[in-house]
Amino acid sequence: MSPDAYLSLASILFAIGAAGVLLRRNAIIAFMSIELMLNAANLAFVTAARAWGNLDGQVVAFFVMVVAAAEVVVGLAIIMTIFRSRQSTSVDETSLLRW
Amino acid sequence: MTFLFWILATLSVIGGLGMLLSRKAVHSALWLALTMMCLAVLYVAQSAVFLGTVQVIVYTGAVMMLFLFVLMLIGVSAADSLRESIRGQRPVAVLVAVALGATLIAAVGNALDFSVGLQAANAEYGGNVQGLAALMFGRYLIAFEATAALLITAALGATILAHRERLFPRQDQRTRSVERFRSGVHPGQRPSPGVYARHNAVDVPALLPDGSAVPDSIPGPLRARGTVREIDATATEEVLDRLVGGAASDTGGER
Amino acid sequence: MTTTLLLLVLLAPALGAAVLLLGGRRTNAWGPLAAIGVMGAATAGALALFGAMLTRPAAERPVGVLLYEWLAVGDLRVPFGLYLDQLSMSFVLLITIVGTLIHVYSLGYMAHDPDRRLFFGYLNLFVAAMLLLVLADNYLLLYVGWEGVGLASYLLIGFYRRRASAATAAKKAFLINRVGDFGLSVAIMVMFTMIGAVTFSAVDAGIVAMPGWVPLVLGLLLLLAAAGKSAQFPLQAWLFDAMEGPTPVSALIHAATMVTAGVYLIVRSAAIYDLSETARTAVIVVGGISILFGAIVGSARDDIKKALAGSTMSQIGYMVLAAGLGPIGYVFAIFHLLTHGFFKANLFLGAGSVMHGMNDEVNMRRYGGLAWVMRLTFITFLIGYLAIIGVPPFAGFYSKDSIIEAALAHSWTAGIVAWLGAGLTAMYMTRMVMMTFLTKRRWQPDAHPHESPPVMIIPMALLALGSAVLGYLLVMNDAFEHWLEPVTGFVHEDPPLAMPIVYGITFGVVGLGVLIGVLANLHPAAEAPTRVNPLVRAARADLYGDAINEGLFMRPGQVLTAATVITDRRIVDGAVMAVADLSTGAGDQLRRVENGFVRSYSLALVAGAVIVLAALLLLRIA
């Protein structure tokens, strides 16, 4: 299968992830959408590695995974802390940064 | 291969949309897990065996389980109401997301119309894993070490964030009991579900002698999830009749 | 020696004013006496200066004293200099002598006023400013004194400050005087621009070389100033209201001295008027109108002080007319000014004495028969009366007759106006004497008239003496003409009629006036008749001077103010506020973008990314 199809799939998944961030109010789901976007990017990297015939893309994808894992740990801890103090995980509740 | 790609691509898009559209966070997490599994297979299909495996272990196994774990901690009540609160956000967001997808496809959709293949690269050190290892501990060694620092920092940060300072003395059973009696609101035990009910299941509220339900008897998580079973009114009447009607004839009879 | 005496004359009243006004209540006990003391010192200094001047030959009589360089800005050099010549000397004597007598009189008149000390402080301030006015050797310093007497006049007219009418009258006097002061200030600017100097000597020397319009413009501007200060037509309206002040003030400021400052200004600027026939004619016209205007108003008012105010306006009209005649009239203008200063102060003090005895009643229709109750007042008033209507040998005869002769020599019109004024003067003064001292008693039930104390009678007697003999003293051997001639110049011109005929007509007119005055006022009504002819009605309303001012200046002024306010609020403020509202409105709308929702922010972020991406794509395609 040509790499272009993979890249198109990655684009679609990335757009779905972006839509999730924009549409869902639940912080955990918004977070999942971010993970989906990272995965879409990873797919693009892996595809590019195959197309160019070297492994650097895969290494970068690997690093992305590591960073995503770290991010998930910290992000979920933050969500927990917010939930603990506000009894809610809605991102609309934390709208103090306003006029 | 083409066939496999289309199947997996369709499944992963369905998984993404499922995550996007599910009302409950747990469902979203499960849909996302599906997408990630599909992606793992697609990695393997593109000669990235190691990454496919890591995807399954790290993402589907660890990250997604972490999500579910947090969902369990903060309660299943964390379901979105689907009513949009910001005016105009939803249509514009959909429009922008579609536009993003379209531009991305236009930008990269025909960027790589060639494929060298990884056979040569994988074979150089005797396999995909060996090849990656050679890169990671060679050219990308410093970045790799930095990720180690990053992970430790993240773990430490999560620990600190999750840590709760104890501001009050720990309450044991005795102090709680004393507190309950002192306030005098509800000193005794709360009614357990299913009492005087047709069912003694945990999702059926207890009944008072006059036949009305006691909402407090249902455990909180079930109430939050909205899975409280309704009482069948006619059945309750019937039971009441049978119980109270018989008792009315023999006055003061023990029930 | 001269310098010391000059400074004594000028500074003694100033010192008195400073002590009384700055000293506060501590000076209450001895303040009035101190004020009279400094006046006595000033009078003594003035008499010493006069004596010294008499011993010198005519050419050496003027003395100038340069105290210091006051202003030195660029080409403008204004000295703080004093200049004492025969003209200033005449004024200094009038101011100090009459001023002292009125100070003494006030001691009795104001005996029961709690603000007596303040009153004497203001009087001293006035005398100091008036002396500075006549002693200044340049127009700018004169202007300082000019404004000083205006301020003192304002303070004294509004002396009974708890009375709303007094406060309004003071404000009115101040405002109308500002119109005149405007003329003087512009005149000074013109002098500086065209001639480059403001001292009298430099202006007199420089005006000759100027183009013809300069003397004309200066003459008209100075006439405006004189009309404002001397209550001449058309700026006369304030004088009648100025009678709200205490009567000694009316005598000193609004009869004897301050109101004659305009005449002084015209005579002092003789060099300017000599060069402009048109300006002189304007002066004559203003003077002539004022003679008749004042006399008509004086004939109709029942308020004794306002009738006297009309008389003052009329008599100053004579002086202004005489001054407008040029060298044939300057001397007589000042001559009449001096005699008028005495007999009009005398009349005012007499009126004050009557008011003092009649519970401050000013309506002559409530008087009557006072001649038998207040004998001394009657006698002094009668001398003043004979002086003002021009019965020989009293002072007014000599001065007024000289003016009539000079006016006749100038033109028939001026002469006839002067005669007419003389007849009217005789008529209204006779009416005043009839209604006040003769005829039946028409007192209010609570009136118990009594003679005034000696402290008031003695100044009146001295002024009456002056009214009686001053004219003859000055006219003897043409003494005054020779005295003033070096300053103003003097040309004698015979009237077109023989002297006996002139005298005859004058006496005839005056006699007719007296006859009408007696016959019309044999039985005055206690209430003013309401059904009167239009002339009397107009005269009672001061010939509609206030109405004209209101219609011509006040109402358009109010409309202009309202229009300005509306323009300011709607257009100027409107523009500013519109800009402000635009910013705040834009801010209000823009801040809604910052709604605090992280999803809104990320929407903007993604939309931005899409736009950048699309732009890059378009670039690549293009």
Side-chain angles (χ1 to χ4, degrees), chain A residues 22-23 25 92 95 97 99, chain C residues 591 594 596-597 599 601 603:
Chain A
L22 297 182
L23 287 172
R25 270 176 296 170
D92 287 358
S95 60
L97 195 69
W99 35 272
Chain C
R591 75 171 186 175
E594 297 293 321
F597 292 119
R599 292 189 298 140
Y601 300 158
L603 180 61

Side-chain angles (χ1 to χ4, degrees), chain C residues 190-219:
Chain C
V190 171
M191 283 172 198
F192 171 64
T193 315
M194 297 307 297
I195 303 171
V198 293
T199 54
F200 294 141
S201 51
V203 171
D204 288 355
I207 192 73
V208 184
M210 286 296 125
W213 62 268
V214 177
L216 174 63
V217 166
L218 281 178

